Amino acid sequence: MFDAAAVSAWLEELNAEQRTAVTHRGGPLLILAGAGTGKTTTLCTRVAWLLSEGVPAERMLLLTFTRRAAREMVQRAHSMTARVLPSAGAVVGGTFHSLAHRIVRLHACSLELPPGFGVLDAGDAADLIDLVRQELGHAASTRRFPRAQTMLDIYSYTVNAQRPLAEILAERFPWCEEHGEALAESFRAYGARKRTFGVLDLDDLLIYWRALAGDPVLGTRIADSFDHVLVDEYQDVNGLQVDIVRSLRHARCELTVVGDDFQAIYGFRAASARHILEFPQHFPDARTITLEQNYRSTESILAIANALSNQDQHGFPKRLWSERGEGAAPELAFVRDESSQANEVCERVLAAREEGMELRAQAVLFRTCHDSALLELELTRRRVPFVKYGGLRYLDAAHVKDLVALLRLASNAADEVSWFRVLQLLDGVGPVRARRLLDALRAPGGGPPELSRWADAAGHVPEHARAAATALFGALVDAAAGGESAGARVERLCAALVPLIRLRYDDGAARAADLDQLVAAAGSARDIREFVAELVLDPPASSADLAGPPHLDEDYLVLSTVHSAKGLEWDAVHLIAAYDGNFPADMNTGSEQGVAEERRLLYVALTRARRRLHVYVPVRYYHRPAGCDDPHGYGRTSRFLTASVQCLFRVTRTPGEPSPGVDGVAPRRRIEVSVDALFA
């Protein structure tokens, strides 16, 4: 039995709209949660309330977009119910891709997939597409043909948006339209090669889950496994994910989705705000509850956010408000140039630190990673420690991909993409010799490579590299045979790989040491295949993610792209480079939808601030930054920072610089010129 008084205490801590959402009974529910309105609290409390109402934990499915978010929500809900409902089990929670992996693995036989299929991350998928691209002769074309990464972007967007290739090319990749037939042929060959190698990419996991959901027997069985489905960040779903959510909602399954259409900023992943906007049409019996009370920011910051959201005519209307008071006026600083911008940011960050605000309570946000280049130099000069989020992920580093490829081979020797990567680590082995080695590892009649045929292949390895190759193959054979824990086998494989890493890379010693955290993380894995799948489905941003938060000497400033900052908050936020061409990005201004998403991106940046907000607009842009002369032009303020929005800021300017007009261009001056005095 549960403690009714404790449940009542949970509900009393909520505002009226949150309480209504938490205790909703019957029918689909859309919770429109504006920035900072307690979305996570509401969703976690709803999970706890459903448990207290007698819904078994294992009959609830919580879908999120990061594994960390799923863990945090499940743990919060469990801690709320632990004292009043000790017998409550664990809610089923995870990302769309992790749940898809679990379900597809369970039904691999029905899908005609090998039980030990591997999962490719984006980098591996691009490598495989590049292999297909070369085999079909497109790499040798006399005309420009899309490179592998662009091909993967086109393929992934088409699959996730569930729209014809021709439409995607015309809309997002117009310069590739002339290659439409060749791209279609390449993508079919890419799919066939994945089946031959026994691997799936991340998009395949969703495709196969949807196929299972559409089966009259298995689809019904999967959907009937849950009484309640709860989806976080619904504004970020794509067409495939919407199909999956709709398939899960049978007559006896309740659906709750939480999101904010004005925080939909992942269009480049085929996510679209229209899915949350169309939720009432997809589910006509749905109830919509809007959360508008903001618990994060001051009224002066919210006034700017509301003014920005009012520029969008297509979203759900909402007005954020707060009981935190007016607070300090947000600052809009027009600075001389990017160098001056770096100096001004440092001055304000250090001044706030002297006033008692820790560096880690402050963040500098930017549109793209290169926007912070000069700032990083200035911070280093002033000995201000910082961490940066966004850009190259840990799994994208070459030495990490080398180890992951080796781990894949331990459970799936048919993975030729991994073979090509691993074999070329051997000194003196390039693509041609790697192909000979791979062919020698096949049985006489063809088929996939076999570890047992190393004796036939060893002769193709240069003699000076044969000892290292033999050690590597020996470790692979032992790891594939099992008998040891997954951690022990990963450690054995890493030990065999380290000599090759040290030899191949100039900073090999540092790279080898960087793998220690990955080996340590494998200690708790059940098997190597699952460990690799977990890495691909929820990749760490850096080796520090595997070991815990970074430990710097005293404190550290956070630098982050706006995309990486979504869902986070700081006492003070400094948004740099707020000029037209960056907000919105010039490459995303070709359509109304693109401009609208760029406006939402700026909105997300502004609403990360709790107490102080600083926005910087460089006035001058140098045509030759490294030159000895001074040719420059004047930039334009972001079109989203209209006159009515700028009036809500405290505006400051670099002394001596011309004042930008509302649109960012220096206003016209009236200068009278006359020679009449000469003829007096």
Side-chain angles (χ1 to χ4, degrees):
M1 293 295 293
F2 64 90
D3 186 341
V7 176
S8 178
W10 302 338
L11 300 179
E12 285 298 321
E13 295 177 359
L14 306 176
N15 63 43
E17 291 75 20
Q18 291 173 329
R19 195 177 308 117
T20 302
V22 165
T23 58
H24 171 75
R25 296 179 187 273
L29 173 64
L30 169 60
I31 304 174
L32 287 173
T37 57
K39 166 184 71 73
T40 302
T41 296
T42 303
L43 192 57
C44 291
T45 308
R46 178 155 177 78
V47 171
W49 182 79
L50 289 172
L51 290 171
S52 72
E53 287 289 297
V55 179
E58 66 275 9
R59 302 286 301 174
M60 272 190 276
L61 174 62
L62 175 62
L63 288 170
T64 65
F65 280 83
T66 67
R67 295 289 290 277
R68 180 174 296 175
R71 286 193 298 268
E72 289 176 355
M73 287 188 182
V74 170
Q75 288 170 1
R76 279 183 65 175
H78 182 73
S79 65
M80 293 174 69
T81 58
R83 287 182 294 175
V84 297
L85 198 64
S87 60
V91 174
V92 180
T95 65
F96 276 92
H97 288 101
S98 65
L99 265 296
H101 176 255
R102 192 184 312 176
I103 291 170
V104 171
R105 185 78 69 185
L106 186 64
H107 299 284
C109 183
S110 298
L111 293 166
E112 298 184 337
L113 293 171
F117 68 80
V119 181
L120 303 176
D121 66 8
D124 299 316
D127 289 342
L128 183 52
I129 281 185
D130 199 22
L131 183 64
V132 170
R133 180 177 180 269
Q134 294 181 37
E135 290 179 348
L136 293 178
H138 299 313
S141 173
T142 57
R143 304 182 66 182
R144 183 176 69 147
F145 194 82
R147 302 191 67 173
Q149 186 58 56
T150 303
M151 291 176 67
L152 180 62
D153 291 341
I154 296 170
Y155 172 85
S156 185
Y157 195 97
T158 303
V159 169
N160 283 287
Q162 289 293 282
R163 293 169 54 198
L165 174 63
E167 288 185 14
I168 301 302
L169 292 177
E171 179 182 303
R172 301 188 69 89
F173 305 91
W175 70 272
C176 298
E177 280 191 275
E178 64 177 296
H179 303 295
E181 291 185 10
L183 287 169
E185 177 193 20
S186 300
F187 295 151
R188 289 192 295 268
Y190 169 63
R193 190 58 59 89
K194 284 187 292 183
R195 288 188 290 273
T196 300
F197 293 172
V199 295
L200 304 181
D201 61 27
L202 294 174
D203 300 325
D204 291 331
L205 293 174
L206 298 181
I207 291 172
Y208 279 104
W209 186 2
R210 190 183 66 168
L212 288 169
D215 183 80
V217 177
L218 293 179
T220 301
R221 188 180 303 169
I222 293 170
D224 286 347
S225 301
F226 306 105
D227 294 330
H228 283 267
V229 175
L230 303 98
V231 185
D232 188 25
E233 304 286 8
Y234 195 75
Q235 77 278 353
D236 294 333
V237 295
N238 58 41
L240 265 178
Q241 291 161 335
V242 169
D243 288 346
I244 289 170
V245 170
R246 296 178 71 177
S247 73
L248 288 171
R249 204 235 167 197
H250 282 214
R252 57 193 295 268
C253 180
E254 299 296 345
L255 174 64
T256 299
V257 304
V258 183
D260 179 8
D261 55 297
F262 216 74
Q263 294 188 68
I265 59 173
Y266 291 109
F268 60 91
R269 297 181 186 169
S272 173
R274 70 180 177 84
H275 296 308
I276 191 170
L277 294 174
E278 294 174 358
F279 188 86
Q281 285 74 52
H282 290 163
F283 304 96
D285 56 337
R287 180 177 183 182
T288 300
I289 297 174
T290 304
L291 307 183
E292 296 180 314
Q293 183 176 357
N294 180 283
Y295 295 92
R296 175 187 300 158
S297 306
T298 59
E299 280 285 1
S300 59
I301 294 173
L302 296 181
I304 295 170
N306 288 329
L308 200 65
S309 65
N310 287 340
Q311 296 175 14
D312 191 302
Q313 303 300 315
H314 303 292
F316 290 110
K318 64 181 77 70
R319 180 188 175 280
L320 300 181
W321 60 277
S322 172
E323 295 180 344
R324 298 196 61 197
E326 191 69 19
E331 179 189 19
L332 179 61
F334 292 97
V335 295
R336 177 183 175 87
D337 50 30
E338 291 179 295
S339 178
S340 177
Q341 174 180 255
N343 182 68
E344 294 292 332
V345 170
C346 288
E347 292 291 337
R348 287 163 174 77
V349 165
L350 292 174
R353 178 178 176 273
E354 290 304 312
E355 295 171 6
M357 185 183 293
E358 292 184 328
L359 291 176
R360 73 185 72 192
Q362 306 179 61
V364 181
L365 305 184
F366 34 84
R367 180 67 172 77
T368 57
C369 281
H370 64 76
D371 289 330
S372 67
L374 288 179
L375 175 61
E376 292 175 47
L377 292 174
E378 184 65 16
L379 289 170
T380 302
R381 188 183 71 81
R382 298 186 184 221
R383 302 181 65 82
V384 177
F386 62 88
V387 292
K388 184 176 181 179
Y389 298 99
L392 185 67
R393 298 183 311 172
Y394 180 60
L395 281 191
D396 291 333
H399 59 295
V400 178
K401 293 181 72 67
D402 295 337
L403 178 57
V404 170
L406 192 61
L407 298 182
R408 282 201 177 98
L409 292 177
S411 56
N412 181 16
D415 186 349
E416 292 193 19
V417 177
S418 294
W419 273 119
F420 268 103
R421 184 171 197 96
V422 170
L423 290 173
Q424 291 183 70
L425 288 173
L426 300 172
D427 191 31
V429 175
V432 175
R433 199 184 291 268
R435 168 59 68 183
R436 293 177 190 157
L437 269 165
L438 197 52
D439 290 340
L441 289 170
R442 305 180 194 277
E450 299 175 7
L451 290 172
S452 59
R453 298 187 57 81
W454 164 242
D456 299 323
H460 294 283
V461 179
E463 187 173 351
H464 69 276
R466 204 163 294 170
T470 300
L472 189 66
F473 270 81
L476 258 178
V477 170
D478 291 343
E484 294 180 310
S485 67
R489 285 182 284 160
V490 170
E491 187 173 1
R492 181 191 298 272
L493 288 169
C494 186
L497 182 66
V498 161
L500 302 179
I501 296 287
R502 291 177 180 273
L503 183 63
R504 182 176 181 83
Y505 302 104
D506 292 338
D507 56 347
R511 290 176 183 260
D514 194 36
L515 296 176
D516 291 343
Q517 297 292 349
L518 198 60
V519 173
S524 58
R526 288 183 298 178
D527 62 60
I528 293 179
R529 183 188 67 193
E530 290 295 326
F531 176 64
V532 172
E534 292 291 323
L535 283 176
V536 172
L537 296 171
D538 188 28
S542 68
S543 58
D545 277 7
L546 299 169
H551 299 286
L552 301 178
D553 291 344
E554 177 193 8
D555 197 2
Y556 54 88
L557 179 68
V558 175
L559 309 185
S560 176
T561 61
V562 179
H563 284 98
S564 296
K566 187 169 178 286
L568 303 176
E569 58 186 63
W570 293 271
D571 284 343
V573 165
H574 302 260
L575 177 65
I576 62 176
Y579 57 83
D580 223 63
N582 211 28
F583 289 99
D586 51 8
M587 293 295 289
N588 213 13
T589 56
S591 67
E592 181 182 346
Q593 294 83 359
V595 173
E597 178 165 322
E598 292 293 312
R599 183 187 295 112
R600 295 193 294 266
L601 187 66
L602 179 58
Y603 174 90
V604 167
L606 301 180
T607 53
R608 299 309 95 195
R610 297 192 194 104
R611 296 165 47 197
R612 299 183 187 178
L613 174 64
H614 306 271
V615 179
Y616 302 82
V617 182
V619 174
R620 294 188 181 200
Y621 294 90
Y622 295 99
H623 305 312
R624 291 188 292 274
C628 299
D629 49 4
D630 186 34
H632 64 271
Y634 288 96
R636 296 170 59 94
T637 307
S638 168
R639 68 189 68 178
F640 305 133
L641 297 176
T642 61
S644 60
V645 174
Q646 290 190 29
C647 287
L648 301 172
F649 284 93
R650 175 174 60 88
V651 178
T652 61
R653 309 182 193 280
T654 300
E657 283 301 308
S659 301
V662 170
D663 63 356
V665 178
R668 296 177 183 269
R669 293 175 58 85
R670 184 176 180 182
I671 303 175
E672 294 186 4
V673 179
S674 174
V675 294
D676 290 350
L678 297 176
F679 308 105

